Amino acid sequence: MSNTLISSDDLKLVAQYCEAIGIEYLPFKLDLKSVSKKKAYTDSGEMSSKQKALDELRSQIGDCRLCRLAEERTNLVFGEGNPDAKIMFIGEAPGREEDSQGRPFVGEAGRVLTNLINKMGLTRDDVYIANICKCRPPSNRDPMLDEMNICMKFVEAQIEIIFPEVIISMGKIATYALMARSEPMSKFSISRVRGKFFDYTTESRVIPVMPTFHPAYLMRNPKDKWLTWYDAQAVLRKTGMLKEQI
Ligand code: URA
């Protein structure tokens, strides 16, 4: 018997057909919501080439020891989500929970981010989420410039592979890193630049970036949530995902 892979969409059709003809029990559990959205596998059942490229990049990074953050990390947090995402969210660096789980934005700030993504009419499986620094800075201090610069080549490679239509940079650190400003980071203010698209140029592409507040800032300043919602709507509009109300 050959090992033909069945695509998630085919599985969904099978499940819908069984339901239609009255079969109430299937000998496997199917989470229709997650299988229909995840695009790591193509419709022909093969792993998408973007996912393969991301896996390849992850194995190249391996047990990275290029900076001091490696000494205290538990897990390197590469990033996760839909390799074909139209929208890529980029934060600063993993916190305690992210370091322990090896996944981005799974702590308190992650809940705020997940709420925003849901409010945009999307799920975490629709977007890609990563950080500038892949390892947790001790005691959640801000990443240092040399640590950011070392990790930027990994971030650039992720962006090149995913090639999202829009990047949302969350907070001062991520925005500063992507904007490549010449002014010192200490003088850089996210409030001054948020809400206005700028271009991020990779080796082969130009991608619009929407800078907005970091979810951790929004936890401390919930009154500013509407500004981030305003920025998210501009992103939805740019990607053609916002239904304008007439
Ligand atoms: N803050 C970040 O910037 N990234 C995370 O993954 C979690 C918190």
Side-chain angles (χ1 to χ4, degrees):
M1 197 170 92
S2 73
N3 277 338
T4 311
L5 288 171
I6 301 176
S7 78
S8 57
D9 285 346
D10 286 343
L11 273 177
K12 190 175 168 189
L13 283 174
V14 170
Q16 283 168 346
Y17 174 73
C18 291
E19 195 181 8
I21 63 170
I23 296 175
E24 286 172 3
Y25 170 78
L26 291 174
F28 52 84
K29 242 181 141 210
L30 194 58
D31 178 356
L32 289 181
K33 205 159 155 257
S34 67
V35 295
S36 65
K37 292 267 174 83
K38 269 224 190 289
K39 276 291 178 190
Y41 288 83
T42 65
D43 291 343
S44 64
E46 286 171 6
M47 193 186 273
S48 82
S49 56
K50 287 185 178 188
Q51 186 61 51
K52 277 187 198 152
L54 287 169
D55 290 349
E56 172 74 11
L57 174 64
R58 177 63 191 92
S59 58
Q60 278 167 17
I61 297 174
D63 182 38
C64 177
R65 302 262 143 206
L66 292 176
C67 83
R68 62 187 83 77
L69 295 184
E71 286 158 28
E72 293 191 39
R73 70 155 186 251
T74 311
N75 285 298
L76 187 148
V77 181
F78 178 70
E80 67 179 26
N82 187 336
D84 293 306
K86 287 185 173 188
I87 301 175
M88 178 171 182
F89 287 84
I90 303 185
E92 106 185 23
R96 181 192 299 278
E97 196 54 38
E98 290 77 16
D99 175 64
S100 100
Q101 291 191 37
R103 297 179 54 210
F105 283 97
V106 287
E108 296 254 314
R111 270 189 286 283
V112 177
L113 175 60
T114 305
N115 284 343
L116 173 68
I117 292 169
N118 294 160
K119 196 163 177 207
M120 292 168 81
L122 302 168
T123 70
R124 286 175 67 113
D125 287 340
D126 295 315
V127 301
Y128 198 89
I129 305 172
N131 284 303
I132 297 293
C133 285
K134 307 298 182 204
C135 300
R136 180 189 183 214
S139 316
N140 288 354
R141 67 158 167 76
D142 281 353
M144 292 177 189
L145 213 47
D146 63 326
E147 297 158 354
M148 291 160 62
N149 287 339
I150 287 170
C151 255
M152 260 320 274
K153 59 176 173 300
F154 304 141
V155 180
E156 272 166 23
Q158 280 178 306
I159 295 172
E160 277 274 350
I161 294 167
I162 296 162
F163 187 28
E165 286 181 21
V166 180
I167 294 169
I168 299 184
S169 63
M170 299 177 286
K172 167 178 165 158
I173 303 279
T175 305
Y176 182 83
L178 294 170
M179 263 189 169
R181 301 284 283 231
S182 52
E183 72 191 292
M185 197 157 71
S186 57
K187 296 250 154 58
F188 183 74
S189 153
I190 183 68
S191 310
R192 241 190 305 125
V193 299
R194 67 135 283 279
K196 290 175 282 264
F197 283 106
F198 67 91
D199 283 342
Y200 175 76
T201 310
T202 71
E203 250 173 47
S204 58
R205 320 181 190 279
V206 177
I207 300 167
V209 181
M210 171 56 77
T212 195
F213 291 123
H214 191 281
Y217 168 88
L218 295 175
M219 282 164 55
R220 298 189 300 273
N221 300 276
K223 64 173 183 2
D224 283 344
K225 277 189 178 171
W226 71 273
L227 287 168
T228 286
W229 177 231
Y230 186 85
D231 302 342
Q233 283 179 297
V235 167
L236 289 174
R237 206 171 291 120
K238 194 154 202 89
T239 54
M241 288 194 258
L242 184 74
K243 312 264 174 303
E244 297 283 358
Q245 315 222 323
I246 310 171

